Amino acid sequence: MKASLRTVRLELAEPLRISRSTMSARDAVWLTVRDDDGVQGHGEAVTSVYYGLDTDTLGRLLTDAAAELRRFPDPESALEALRGGGPAGSPDAPPAVTAAVDAALLDLVGKRAGTPVHRLLGAPGAPAAATARTIGITPPARAAAEAGRLAASGFEVVKVKAGAPDPESDIARVRAVREAAPRVRLLLDPNGAWTPAQADALLPRFAELGVEAVEQPVAPGDPETLAALAERSPLPIVADEDAVGLEDVRRLAGRVHGVNVKLAKCGGVHAALRIAELIEGSGTELMFGCLTASSLGLAPAVHLVDRARWVDLDGHLLLADDPWTGIGGADGVVRTTDAPGLGVRLRAAHETEEAHRADVA
């Protein structure tokens, strides 16, 4: 197999403010793996200040992963090895790199077999699910206008960011969204901004506004505090920043109402399936979330959505220009097809640039 990398800039349609930062763009590094017949599989890793990943780091680690792939005679054997913990360049490769390699191999293996990824993973039909659409920390009037537009477009689930310095502004924002879109399901995400005392005071008020579940209300790093909050909360509590990988989830299984699995933080499709198996029957339910990324970056998770109670795969919908297409979402539903592999394709406007990739291994 040969491999190549390309770095692209993903601009957001408008800045997204959460409790700890405001983002207007991020970079994506695309990994393409090719067999001897020229069939290609693609994966994406995106930069993240929170996870300490910039373009240079991702490029170096993905180059290492590409070199490691050369040890295998075909992508099928490489994918089988990855299921057992490699190959991702080094044992210390971050989950985002492993996830990108996993995606590229799944895409290539699926295309070689003429089979969509969900069938490779055992799903009989093409998964589809209503996805949440995120509204950032923004004035109530603006949040209301956005919620009304989303509801009119078909969205059944809206996620509102919280954790503003004044909690009353969060209350006002959620109330405005509820009034503008009375039928949508509401999720709330403070990104760990509240103290336990604030969470105790605020959660009943958000319950009265019809919020369905709250992600990571308190700061990550103390799963015992999160579990204790979940036990007394009037609303389901979903662990996010405290549920990075399998061992984190093992500590919380049966003690929180849900875990937000993001392929870039857990290590890809196969890592997510191990988490799903771990929590089955525990009372903790699955949520699929994402980082802001293109349709390529989100596609692997879309092939798993039939396993989740909550789906928040809208990262591609936040972009001013998504270079890839194939998973939908603009009508509130993300979906796969029976196209082989991941089922995404590069938009025509980006195909010329794609021809200038440089081989790295």
Side-chain angles (χ1 to χ4, degrees):
M1 284 182 290
K2 292 184 178 180
S4 57
L5 302 179
R6 176 180 163 196
T7 300
V8 297
R9 187 74 165 168
L10 301 177
E11 301 280 353
L12 274 66
E14 60 182 53
L16 176 67
R17 181 187 171 196
I18 65 173
S19 61
R20 61 175 178 255
S21 63
T22 299
M23 181 179 62
S24 59
R26 72 182 343 146
D27 291 325
V29 181
W30 297 340
L31 169 68
T32 294
V33 290
R34 299 191 301 278
D35 67 11
D36 292 340
D37 294 324
V39 181
Q40 298 184 346
H42 307 281
E44 176 179 274
V46 294
T47 56
S48 170
V49 173
Y50 185 79
Y51 292 111
L53 296 174
D54 57 22
T55 52
D56 289 343
T57 301
L58 287 175
R60 173 175 54 80
L61 292 170
L62 285 168
T63 297
D64 291 344
E68 184 72 9
L69 290 174
R70 295 181 65 186
R71 298 194 302 110
F72 296 91
D74 52 56
E76 290 78 13
S77 58
L79 185 61
E80 185 60 34
L82 183 58
R83 291 191 183 105
S90 78
D92 299 322
V97 169
T98 308
V101 175
D102 192 19
L105 289 173
L106 281 167
D107 193 29
L108 180 54
V109 168
K111 288 174 179 175
R112 282 163 58 97
T115 302
V117 163
H118 58 266
R119 286 202 189 137
L120 292 178
L121 302 174
T131 181
R133 177 68 157 77
T134 300
I135 295 177
I137 296 177
T138 192
R142 186 170 182 179
E146 178 70 1
R149 184 187 68 79
L150 292 172
S153 298
F155 281 85
E156 300 175 1
V157 189
V158 170
K159 183 167 86 169
V160 182
K161 290 291 187 178
D166 179 7
E168 292 301 321
S169 70
D170 292 336
I171 296 287
R173 184 180 317 105
V174 172
R175 181 179 292 113
V177 168
R178 170 54 73 210
E179 291 173 353
R183 292 190 177 90
V184 301
R185 297 163 54 199
L186 283 182
L187 306 177
L188 191 70
D189 185 8
N191 288 108
W194 297 340
T195 66
Q198 285 177 316
D200 285 331
L202 291 169
L203 288 172
R205 298 178 68 186
F206 285 114
E208 291 175 359
L209 291 171
V211 170
E212 180 176 318
V214 181
E215 291 181 57
Q216 196 70 42
V218 294
D222 188 354
E224 293 301 317
T225 294
L226 185 68
L229 177 63
E231 186 174 5
R232 62 182 185 268
S233 172
L235 285 172
I237 300 298
V238 179
D240 183 356
E241 287 89 344
D242 265 329
V244 174
L246 187 67
E247 292 309 310
D248 295 327
V249 174
R250 195 185 305 279
R251 285 190 287 271
L252 289 169
R255 305 178 69 201
V256 294
H257 304 91
V259 289
N260 186 347
V261 174
K262 298 174 182 173
L263 302 191
K265 73 174 182 178
C266 75
V269 164
H270 294 97
L273 291 174
R274 288 192 287 272
I275 290 173
E277 181 179 7
L278 171 66
I279 65 174
E280 187 173 2
S282 71
T284 296
E285 298 189 84
L286 195 62
M287 176 180 189
F288 277 115
C290 63
L291 303 181
T292 303
S294 76
S295 288
L296 171 61
L298 271 69
V302 177
H303 285 269
L304 302 174
V305 293
D306 54 345
R307 295 165 166 85
R309 173 177 174 180
W310 300 285
V311 174
D312 179 25
L313 297 176
D314 68 338
H316 62 309
L317 302 176
L318 304 178
L319 301 180
D321 176 26
D322 183 358
W324 296 79
T325 186
I327 59 172
D331 60 351
V333 178
V334 288
R335 54 181 66 82
T336 62
T337 68
D338 286 327
L342 291 175
V344 294
R345 64 186 185 278
L346 197 62
R347 293 182 187 273
H350 298 268
E351 288 178 350
T352 301
E353 298 174 22
E354 181 69 3
H356 298 295
R357 283 178 182 263
D359 284 352
V360 297

